[in-house]
């Protein structure tokens, strides 16, 4: 058999990327580099030439798009401020936890006291899970650090563009958290306390702010992430192991929530709750399978 010869001439040339493709590849590469190590208050640990090399793009095309590296880092800041990955990560984990905890304790829906215990248990486990997700995620740490980076920018167009991008991303976070709490309240027959004149967006904003404050505190006081106390707070019937983040978040949430007296609990409603959660679980498995196939990895199916 004749040995195959390597391609020559035009066949050896890679397709030339457009300026827009070059820009997108550069920004994606830099985002990945930041998310691997986390963002400091500046981007000095990200080298412009390193990004070009890692992105595998034409150096001349890059400098045609960004004649000065500061222009590239300005665009990178705006990309980071508009990232939605951290919110999606927390939301997926929270949804899976709600399904698991409620499906394992469907018998707790039988009485008002048990439904309250179930609500407390969801907050106990969910708040700790969210805290661990955010505390351990470089993407989340990057997003938190961005606020300090934003404050260090000089007044001008870039500062306003980063502020606007952060505001849009924050709005998305609030909407996701708000949706989770609204769904949880609906499943368990809870409502917002009328006297507060609050919305689920209000609750989501305060819970999100509390969680981020806890994460920032834990970065310099790591013991907080590990401390536990055995207690039965918030009127729970049984004693359980509580983390400090769970105590803080549950305290905020339960200040706003109360059982809805208009909800009638019977076997049909409990069956509806089970059906809704099982449908969500099937949808989640399908989504995971489709994502795995799209990524070329193994699927659950």
């Amino acid at each position: 058999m004749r040995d195959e010869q390597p391609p020559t001439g035009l066949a050896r040339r890679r397709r030339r990327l457009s300026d827009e493709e070059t820009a997108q590849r550069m920004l994606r590469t830099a985002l990945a580099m930041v998310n691997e190590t986390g963002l400091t208050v500046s981007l000095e640990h990200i080298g412009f030439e390193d990004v070009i090399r890692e992105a595998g793009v034409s150096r001349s095309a890059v400098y045609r798009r960004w004649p000065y590296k500061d222009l590239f880092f300005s665009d990178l800041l705006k990309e980071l401020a508009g990232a939605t990955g951290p919110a999606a990560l927390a939301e997926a984990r929270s949804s899976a936890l709600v399904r698991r905890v409620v499906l394992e304790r469907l018998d707790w829906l039988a009485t008002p006291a048990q439904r309250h215990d179930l609500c407390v248990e969801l907050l106990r486990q969910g708040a700790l899970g969210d805290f661990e997700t955010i505390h351990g995620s470089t993407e989340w740490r990057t997003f938190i650090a961005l606020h300090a980076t934003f404050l260090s920018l000089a007044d001008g167009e870039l500062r306003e563009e980063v502020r606007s991008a952060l505001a849009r991303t924050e709005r998305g976070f609030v909407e996701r958290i708000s949706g989770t709490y609204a769904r949880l309240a609906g499943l368990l027959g809870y409502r917002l306390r009328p006297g507060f004149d609050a919305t689920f967006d209000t609750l989501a904003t305060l819970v999100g702010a509390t969680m981020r404050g806890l994460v920032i505190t834990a970065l310099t006081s790591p013991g907080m992430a590990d401390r536990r106390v055995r207690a039965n707070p918030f009127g729970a019937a049984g004693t359980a192991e509580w983390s400090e983040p769970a105590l803080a978040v549950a305290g905020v949430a339960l200040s706003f929530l109360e059982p809805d007296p208009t909800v009638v609990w019977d076997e049909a409603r409990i069956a509806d709750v089970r059906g809704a959660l099982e449908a969500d679980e099937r949808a989640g498995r399908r989504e995971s399978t489709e994502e795995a196939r799209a990524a070329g990895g193994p699927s659950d199916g």
Side-chain angles (χ1 to χ4, degrees):
M1 179 182 295
R2 186 177 63 182
D3 292 338
E4 293 185 1
Q5 297 299 316
T8 59
L10 291 175
R12 296 184 60 183
R13 297 181 185 174
R14 292 184 300 176
R15 182 180 69 84
R16 177 176 293 177
L17 299 176
S18 69
D19 287 353
E20 185 59 30
E21 288 173 321
T22 296
Q24 289 302 312
R25 187 175 291 191
M26 283 286 290
L27 290 168
R28 284 198 303 270
T29 299
L31 282 169
M33 293 171 73
V34 171
N35 287 331
E36 183 178 348
T37 60
L39 179 70
T40 59
V41 177
S42 71
L43 290 168
E44 293 177 357
H45 63 302
I46 301 295
F48 190 45
E49 294 293 334
D50 293 336
V51 178
I52 295 173
R53 184 174 60 254
E54 289 293 322
V57 295
S58 163
R59 193 169 182 274
S60 60
V62 169
Y63 277 93
R64 186 164 58 246
R65 175 64 179 257
W66 295 290
Y68 306 100
K69 67 179 183 179
D70 287 351
L71 297 175
F72 170 73
F73 286 117
S74 295
D75 282 352
L76 178 57
L77 275 177
K78 289 181 279 187
E79 287 286 317
L80 287 165
T84 59
L89 177 69
E91 182 187 37
R93 190 196 181 286
S94 296
S95 298
L97 183 140
V98 168
R99 291 194 299 269
R100 177 179 61 78
V101 172
V102 177
L103 286 172
E104 288 176 354
R105 296 167 176 80
L106 280 173
D107 56 320
W108 288 23
L109 295 174
T111 69
Q114 288 176 307
R115 289 193 292 273
H116 175 74
D117 286 349
L118 180 54
C119 183
V120 171
E121 181 64 13
L122 277 167
L123 289 167
R124 184 182 77 86
Q125 292 195 39
L128 177 59
D130 287 347
F131 172 82
E132 290 175 341
T133 296
I134 297 172
H135 186 261
S137 167
T138 54
E139 290 183 82
W140 265 106
R141 293 193 190 191
T142 293
F143 187 77
I144 292 171
L146 266 173
H147 289 75
T149 303
F150 156 70
L151 291 172
S152 70
L153 297 174
D155 288 338
E157 184 178 351
L158 175 60
R159 181 187 175 101
E160 179 56 27
E161 289 178 341
V162 172
R163 186 202 65 76
S164 296
L166 284 172
R168 288 192 300 272
T169 304
E170 289 282 1
R171 181 69 248 160
F173 289 171
V174 167
E175 289 175 355
R176 287 171 182 264
I177 298 171
S178 174
T180 297
Y181 272 90
R183 180 162 174 74
L184 171 61
L187 284 172
L188 300 184
Y190 273 68
R191 69 178 185 183
L192 292 166
R193 297 182 188 275
F196 279 30
D197 193 26
T199 66
F200 280 104
D201 280 4
T202 307
L203 175 56
T205 299
L206 294 176
V207 166
T210 300
M211 184 63 73
R212 288 184 214 181
L214 291 164
V215 170
I216 291 171
T217 300
L219 293 177
T220 54
S221 303
M224 191 188 77
D226 302 320
R227 283 194 290 271
R228 302 289 185 273
V229 57
R230 288 199 62 81
N232 59 337
F234 314 113
T239 299
E241 192 174 74
W242 282 80
S243 65
E244 292 181 354
L247 286 168
V249 170
V252 172
L254 291 172
S255 295
F256 284 83
L257 297 171
E258 68 176 10
D260 187 342
T262 67
V263 173
V264 177
W265 283 95
D266 53 22
E267 291 184 4
R269 179 177 174 86
I270 293 175
D272 287 344
V273 171
R274 179 200 292 272
L277 290 172
E278 289 176 344
D280 285 351
E281 193 168 41
R282 289 192 296 271
R285 284 199 298 267
R286 283 196 302 271
E287 185 175 333
S288 296
T289 299
E290 289 168 1
E291 289 176 353
R293 287 173 178 167
S299 68
D300 295 332

